[in-house]
Amino acid sequence: MSSTILPPTVDPKTPGYDKLKRQARDYEGVFLNTLMKEMFSSIKTDEKSMGGGFAEETWRGMQAEQFASAMANNGGVGLADQLMPTLLQLQEAAQPTGTGVHS
């Protein structure tokens, strides 16, 4: 038996939703970029295997960034969706008294 934990549903009509969704996706992209760079750092890059050198190091960094960006923009790993409810709560809590939505 497997169980899946789904994030709370967030209404896209919520004020500020688009901006927060973009920020959550950007944050997920940064996380994925760090993850990809760490993954690439473990690949052997001496002259016998891949050539090594400064150009390869630079290329791998750019490749990690592009992979991470593509992943985040195509649904990522779910981190952005998990962050959205918390970001919306923080946004509501930061609003001046009387203007926020209260449950």
Side-chain angles (χ1 to χ4, degrees):
M1 180 170 119
S2 87
S3 63
T4 303
I5 299 173
L6 298 174
T9 304
V10 178
D11 185 1
K13 296 176 187 168
T14 304
Y17 176 87
D18 291 332
K19 181 180 177 184
L20 288 177
K21 183 69 172 178
R22 202 168 35 256
Q23 289 172 338
R25 195 174 311 125
D26 289 347
Y27 181 79
E28 183 169 15
V30 169
F31 170 77
L32 290 170
N33 188 22
T34 303
L35 190 66
M36 296 297 288
K37 283 183 179 181
E38 284 299 315
M39 181 184 76
F40 284 141
S41 74
S42 68
I43 298 173
K44 187 176 178 182
T45 61
D46 62 10
E47 288 184 24
K48 292 178 185 176
S49 60
M50 300 291 261
F54 178 74
E56 184 176 334
E57 256 182 65
T58 303
W59 177 81
R60 283 182 189 237
M62 291 188 298
Q63 184 182 31
E65 192 174 306
Q66 291 300 311
F67 280 159
S69 178
M71 287 170 53
N73 289 329
N74 289 295
V77 294
L79 183 60
D81 293 333
Q82 291 288 333
L83 289 172
M84 282 299 292
T86 303
L87 291 174
L88 287 168
Q89 286 175 352
L90 291 171
Q91 174 182 284
E92 289 176 359
Q95 292 179 359
T97 306
T99 61
V101 177
H102 300 285
S103 337

